[in-house]
Amino acid sequence: MSGHSPVICHFLNLLLYFQMVQIKRICCIGAGYVGGPTCSVIAQMCPEITVTVVDVNESRIKAWNSETLPIYEPGLKEVVESCRNTNLFFSTDIDSAIRDADLVFISVNTPTKTYGMGKGRAADLKFIEACARRIVEVSDGYKIVTEKSTVPVRAAESIRRIFDANTKPSLNLHVLSNPEFLAEGTAVKDLKEPDRVLIGGDETTEGQAAIRALCAVYEHWVPKERIITTNTWSSELSKLTANAFLAQRISSINSISALCEATGADVEEVAKAIGMDQRIGSKFLKASVGFGGSCFQKDVLNLVYLCEALNLPEVASYWQQVIDMNEYQRRRFACRIIDCLFNTVTGKKIALLGFSFKKDTGDTRESSSIYISKYLLDEGAKLFIYDPKVVKEQIVYDLSQPNISEDNPQRVSELVTVTTDPYDACQSAHALVICTEWDMFKELDYEKIYKKMLKPAFIFDGRRLLDHLHPLLQEIGFQIETIGKKVTPARIPYNPAPVGPRVPPTEPPTKKSKA
């Protein structure tokens, strides 16, 4: 090609790379909430690609290969069963899967550091680094290594430095960033009908070829106009920024909910009014006891730490307020429960319905239920907890963490009872607290519950789930306290009309549309 211009040579080289790089085998390191669903959908949508999800946790891999998957997500079981052991495999043989793969996803946990510099804010990248070292150790030939985990800006550069420092003649590794934008409870739908797919890489010929190869995988089912390519740093920062903006909206409407309770306004009416403004929109304006989950708090704190490290204290302070407002909302709700129960909950039975951080998932990470439970346990309340998808062992584990039961670890065994029936949880309770917006809680027989509770019987609706039932619940005799609204007790003669079905459903209904 010596007779061609540099531009033509570059184009021909790029075309050659595009032809050479084809992804036929994918390995995903990490079988959690990101790796499992993502690779299951890829396998279903790309039957010609072999997908292997690996993890060091043997029990988790066994669960993925069983009838009972390790995570609950609507529609996920059907996706897994449609291609498992055909072109979708779950294994603990990490090295073999890496060696055989053309593309390696890194989908391991990136928790917030609990010690050392950046404690409580910075992301702990020890698992990312371990993956990078293992990949370079066992690999040969050409491979594309892609960040799927949420990572701080320039994490891809760190991975690349590890690769460059341990290179060998037979090895050619390229690093991409491909952050996930999944909402738990709608993950399968989000994967099959994404708002966008974001892929970041470097601007070299090889980097662009790697980007194009990953684009080709998603183009099996995602329209090309929804696949966005950027440089690596923009991709990494876009993920953090997306979660920070969503968390910010929740904290913003929650701050207004406090104002509504003080003035007599209704936060639902305020949210509807401002949400009709196309510049604002209606999404994520639902007042509640606060956001939870694996990403929002972690990513905002990561953003705060990044800003501090780059000497941007005003920006860091701005985003820290999002976290502070979320904690304030949880604490404020717990204080409201205590105040309404005559300023003491010591020895009182409180039924807490819902422990996962949102409906349609069994994930409890950073769930507001954990922190509300902590505040009530600190006051000596006896909690009876029910959640349709969270097992007893997980609830006990979460409430036994040092930051939750720091004064007396025995408090959980003495004061917490996990029930398998919502009606049992409410038997002889002073109050019923709704912390998760499971649809089944709308359908409970509240007349039956009222008769079993101590009087006055309180409902604390932390999710505004029962707004439509307020007149009937007041007619029965409940005192209702809800986020962002003053509820005046109705002076209506009691009419024993049933509010919901007499028999509680055993499972929450399947979600049919995106939340």
Side-chain angles (χ1 to χ4, degrees):
M1 291 188 290
S2 58
H4 298 296
S5 71
V7 174
I8 294 176
C9 289
H10 175 75
F11 175 77
L12 292 175
N13 285 335
L14 196 63
L15 182 63
L16 180 62
Y17 263 96
F18 284 170
Q19 292 173 340
M20 288 173 56
V21 180
Q22 290 187 346
I23 296 172
K24 295 296 183 183
R25 303 182 72 88
I26 294 175
C27 165
C28 177
I29 305 175
Y33 280 88
V34 174
T38 299
C39 287
S40 297
V41 169
I42 290 176
Q44 187 183 58
M45 296 300 189
C46 307
E48 76 279 13
I49 297 177
T50 300
V51 182
T52 304
V53 182
V54 295
D55 202 292
V56 295
N57 189 327
E58 291 187 16
S59 61
R60 178 177 292 177
I61 291 298
K62 286 181 180 178
W64 278 110
N65 284 314
S66 73
E67 292 297 311
T68 306
L69 301 186
I71 63 175
Y72 172 72
E73 191 68 40
L76 178 60
K77 185 175 182 181
E78 291 78 6
V79 172
V80 171
E81 291 178 345
S82 71
C83 46
R84 187 170 57 194
N85 296 326
T86 301
N87 70 319
L88 174 63
F89 302 91
F90 298 92
S91 172
T92 55
D93 189 353
I94 298 173
D95 291 350
S96 295
I98 292 173
R99 274 192 293 267
D100 294 342
D102 306 307
L103 168 68
V104 179
F105 282 128
I106 298 179
S107 299
V108 295
N109 193 18
T110 54
T112 302
K113 289 184 70 174
T114 58
Y115 56 88
M117 294 181 62
K119 174 184 176 181
R121 293 170 299 169
D124 189 341
L125 299 182
K126 62 184 178 183
F127 300 121
I128 295 281
E129 180 180 344
C131 286
R133 294 188 182 281
R134 192 160 190 172
I135 290 168
V136 76
E137 180 183 350
V138 304
S139 295
D140 282 304
Y142 181 92
K143 290 191 193 308
I144 300 170
V145 179
T146 305
E147 300 171 332
K148 260 294 179 187
S149 305
T150 302
V151 293
V153 180
R154 296 191 172 180
E157 183 179 346
S158 300
I159 296 173
R160 192 177 292 111
R161 287 179 63 189
I162 292 173
F163 289 166
D164 291 344
N166 294 275
T167 189
K168 43 192 175 184
S170 60
L171 188 59
N172 188 4
L173 299 176
H174 293 281
V175 182
L176 300 180
S177 170
N178 177 216
E180 51 80 21
F181 295 98
L182 308 181
E184 290 184 39
T186 60
V188 172
K189 183 174 178 60
D190 293 342
L191 285 163
K192 290 188 175 182
E193 302 173 21
D195 294 331
R196 77 293 201 196
V197 172
L198 182 59
I199 301 172
D202 61 53
E203 297 179 357
T204 64
T205 300
E206 297 88 343
Q208 293 299 302
I211 290 174
R212 180 68 202 124
L214 183 53
C215 286
V217 173
Y218 285 110
E219 286 171 4
H220 280 76
W221 77 96
V222 180
K224 289 185 179 181
E225 60 270 18
R226 292 192 180 183
I227 301 175
I228 303 171
T229 60
T230 68
N231 67 45
T232 309
W233 298 346
S234 294
S235 176
E236 292 172 336
L237 185 57
S238 294
K239 169 62 177 176
L240 293 181
T241 304
N243 281 342
F245 271 55
L246 294 175
Q248 177 196 50
R249 284 176 68 90
I250 296 172
S251 282
S252 294
I253 197 62
N254 280 343
S255 72
I256 300 302
S257 74
L259 186 59
C260 288
E261 292 168 27
T263 60
D266 186 335
V267 74
E268 284 286 306
E269 295 175 352
V270 173
K272 181 178 180 181
I274 66 173
M276 293 181 71
D277 188 327
Q278 293 183 1
R279 297 167 300 174
I280 298 174
S282 60
K283 299 293 182 64
F284 279 76
L285 291 180
K286 181 74 173 177
S288 69
V289 287
F291 58 75
S294 63
C295 288
F296 279 4
Q297 177 160 312
K298 179 184 70 173
D299 289 356
V300 175
L301 289 172
N302 196 341
L303 189 60
V304 170
Y305 183 71
L306 176 65
C307 293
E308 290 177 343
L310 296 175
N311 196 27
L312 300 169
E314 292 83 3
V315 181
S317 178
Y318 176 84
W319 288 109
Q320 179 63 48
Q321 190 60 34
V322 172
I323 299 297
D324 294 345
M325 181 56 62
N326 195 52
E327 176 55 31
Y328 167 73
Q329 186 77 343
R330 294 164 170 171
R331 187 173 64 252
R332 194 174 67 84
F333 185 66
C335 289
R336 191 172 177 185
I337 295 171
I338 297 167
D339 289 344
C340 288
L341 293 180
F342 313 108
N343 207 34
T344 179
V345 292
T346 303
K348 292 181 178 179
K349 178 178 177 179
I350 297 177
L352 195 149
L353 301 188
F355 202 80
S356 60
F357 84 92
K358 63 183 287 189
K359 72 174 183 177
D360 292 333
T361 180
D363 194 354
T364 63
R365 286 176 289 181
E366 291 299 329
S367 173
S368 290
S369 300
I370 298 173
Y371 295 92
I372 292 168
S373 296
K374 168 185 166 53
Y375 293 130
L376 296 175
L377 290 173
D378 286 345
E379 295 291 325
K382 294 182 177 179
L383 301 184
F384 282 67
I385 300 174
Y386 169 78
D387 189 285
K389 288 297 177 181
V390 183
V391 298
K392 176 180 178 180
E393 292 77 12
Q394 184 64 51
I395 293 174
V396 172
Y397 173 80
D398 288 334
L399 295 180
S400 300
Q401 293 304 296
N403 63 321
I404 302 299
S405 298
E406 53 192 6
D407 296 330
N408 182 8
Q410 288 296 111
R411 184 188 293 119
V412 174
S413 61
E414 295 170 356
L415 298 178
V416 174
T417 301
V418 179
T419 70
T420 58
D421 184 276
Y423 295 95
D424 289 344
C426 297
Q427 177 76 45
S428 301
H430 290 78
L432 182 163
V433 181
I434 296 177
C435 287
T436 309
E437 71 278 21
W438 285 104
D439 290 335
M440 68 174 295
F441 297 157
K442 299 177 184 177
E443 308 298 330
L444 295 177
D445 184 346
Y446 285 97
E447 181 191 354
K448 176 181 176 181
I449 289 174
Y450 179 79
K451 290 178 179 178
K452 289 185 173 185
M453 291 178 65
L454 298 182
K455 310 302 186 294
F458 288 85
I459 292 179
F460 296 92
D461 189 355
R463 295 287 180 173
R464 296 195 58 120
L465 189 69
L466 306 179
D467 278 1
H468 65 296
L469 294 178
H470 280 182
L472 291 174
L473 293 173
Q474 289 176 321
E475 186 179 337
I476 287 174
F478 280 107
Q479 173 63 51
I480 306 167
E481 299 290 334
T482 190
I483 291 285
K485 181 180 181 181
K486 280 185 177 180
V487 181
T488 304
R491 298 179 180 274
I492 304 174
Y494 172 54
N495 177 14
V499 174
R502 298 282 179 180
V503 180
T506 56
E507 295 286 346
T510 302
K511 194 169 186 178
K512 295 182 180 179
S513 62
K514 188 172 181 178

